[in-house]
């Protein structure tokens, strides 16, 4: 069975600081997809990124960047120059299979990020 | 695009009562998912539909739980004889995906918060 661990329960930073959210996963499958979702106080989860197990290139999208390392089974998420609006719970998730389907996502327990003004 | 809507937003019930939640997905989406999220945890997969067919069910979905999507549009999740352990946020998500799709993206609703007294 697969598992996703987000060891950081809560992180608090001051605006404009950089912050990295850690994600470690476990699976015996060689084909899988990893995701990050953001859950603001309103409750709906917002998709941020999907990465397949064969693509280890790091990705940058604006202030967001992701570091995927299969050797350590980690898929970490960095927010550069954090803003108050980044305050939310962030979830890392995993799904198995070739299709990249989001069926049966396995989520970590989430990291509550608070960005202080 | 009005997003995924769930009704009600909050439900308080007494142990032993039956409750029913409704989810209206994004109109053209063919897949619909139900997840459950307890406080401080990530969402857990319950079940999903492709059009009106219920294709997968988690072992978390006991026989007190039943989900339907009769016309391939909205879905209902019913819990019979509620227990205090059923208290959680019930999240619905939808997507437009095909069997060979590799870019499935889930859109989540804001959830129904159930409290069983």
């Amino acid at each position: 069975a697969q598992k996703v661990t987000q060891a950081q329960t809560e992180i608090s930073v001051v605006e404009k600081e950089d912050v990295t959210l850690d994600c470690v996963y476990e699976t015996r499958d060689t084909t899988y997809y990893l995701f990050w979702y953001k859950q603001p106080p309103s409750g709906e989860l917002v998709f941020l990124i999907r990465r397949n197990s064969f693509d280890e290139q790091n990705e940058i999208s604006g202030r967001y960047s992701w570091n995927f390392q299969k050797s350590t089974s980690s898929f970490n998420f960095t927010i550069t120059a954090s803003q108050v609006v980044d305050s939310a719970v962030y979830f890392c998730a995993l799904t198995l299979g070739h299709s990249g389907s989001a069926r049966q996502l396995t989520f970590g327990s989430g990291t509550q990020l608070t960005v202080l003004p | 695009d009005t997003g995924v809507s769930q009704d009600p937003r909050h439900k308080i019930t007494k142990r032993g009562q039956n409750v029913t939640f409704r989810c209206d997905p994004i109109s053209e989406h063919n897949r619909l998912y139900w997840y459950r999220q307890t406080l401080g945890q990530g969402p857990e997969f319950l079940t999903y539909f492709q059009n009106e067919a219920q294709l997968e069910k988690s072992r978390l979905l006991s026989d007190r739980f039943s989900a339907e999507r009769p016309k391939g549009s909205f879905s209902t999740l019913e819990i019979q004889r509620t227990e205090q352990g059923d208290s959680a946020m019930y999240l619905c998500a939808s997507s437009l995906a095909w069997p060979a799709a590799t870019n499935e993206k889930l859109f989540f609703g804001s959830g129904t918060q159930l409290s069983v007294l």
Side-chain angles (χ1 to χ4, degrees):
Chain A
Q2 59 271 19
K3 183 179 178 182
V4 176
T5 301
Q6 294 179 256
Q8 303 152 309
T9 305
E10 297 182 24
I11 299 177
S12 184
V13 299
V14 177
E15 205 169 20
K16 297 184 184 177
E17 286 185 355
D18 299 347
V19 58
T20 295
L21 310 182
D22 297 334
C23 172
V24 174
Y25 62 92
E26 296 175 31
T27 179
R28 294 180 181 173
D29 284 50
T30 57
T31 304
Y32 51 88
Y33 284 75
L34 295 161
F35 299 75
W36 275 94
Y37 282 84
K38 174 182 180 180
Q39 188 175 39
S42 54
E44 79 281 8
L45 286 114
V46 178
F47 169 88
L48 296 177
I49 189 172
R50 170 186 36 245
R51 176 52 50 89
N52 75 56
S53 53
F54 299 107
D55 181 4
E56 289 194 70
Q57 280 193 332
N58 292 331
E59 183 157 340
I60 298 174
S61 176
R63 296 184 297 108
Y64 295 170
S65 62
W66 291 269
N67 182 6
F68 176 30
Q69 292 195 347
K70 286 179 76 171
S71 60
T72 56
S73 297
S74 65
F75 186 43
N76 296 337
F77 173 31
T78 297
I79 302 174
T80 303
S82 59
Q83 299 175 1
V84 172
V85 294
D86 296 327
S87 297
V89 182
Y90 289 85
F91 291 97
C92 181
L94 167 75
T95 190
L96 305 179
H98 296 268
S99 70
S101 166
R103 297 191 339 251
Q104 293 222 29
L105 285 166
T106 297
F107 284 85
S109 56
T111 297
Q112 170 71 61
L113 173 66
T114 302
V115 181
L116 302 169
Chain B
D1 179 358
T2 57
V4 177
S5 63
Q6 293 187 244
D7 183 69
R9 287 297 308 274
H10 300 92
K11 178 71 176 179
I12 300 173
T13 191
K14 292 183 178 179
R15 186 162 50 97
Q17 298 293 307
N18 299 345
V19 294
T20 299
F21 312 139
R22 178 182 170 117
C23 171
D24 286 273
I26 294 172
S27 59
E28 67 271 19
H29 283 186
N30 57 347
R31 282 190 181 168
L32 186 147
Y33 297 77
W34 285 100
Y35 280 80
R36 181 174 70 184
Q37 184 178 18
T38 53
L39 196 62
Q41 299 299 315
E44 297 171 296
F45 170 81
L46 292 178
T47 187
Y48 98 96
F49 293 82
Q50 174 104 6
N51 300 313
E52 66 275 8
Q54 188 173 17
L55 296 188
E56 289 185 36
K57 292 197 290 187
S58 162
R59 61 181 180 275
L60 293 175
L61 212 66
S62 75
D63 56 6
R64 296 185 298 105
F65 288 70
S66 62
E68 294 182 346
R69 195 183 183 198
K71 296 182 180 179
S73 56
F74 74 91
S75 175
T76 57
L77 177 67
E78 180 183 18
I79 309 174
Q80 296 182 328
R81 304 180 305 281
T82 52
E83 301 173 356
Q84 288 185 325
D86 297 331
S87 296
M89 175 78 81
Y90 290 84
L91 294 165
C92 177
S94 70
S95 71
L96 180 63
W98 305 103
T102 59
N103 293 314
E104 184 178 10
K105 181 177 174 181
L106 261 58
F107 292 82
F108 281 84
S110 297
T112 293
Q113 180 66 55
L114 173 67
S115 298
V116 181
L117 305 178

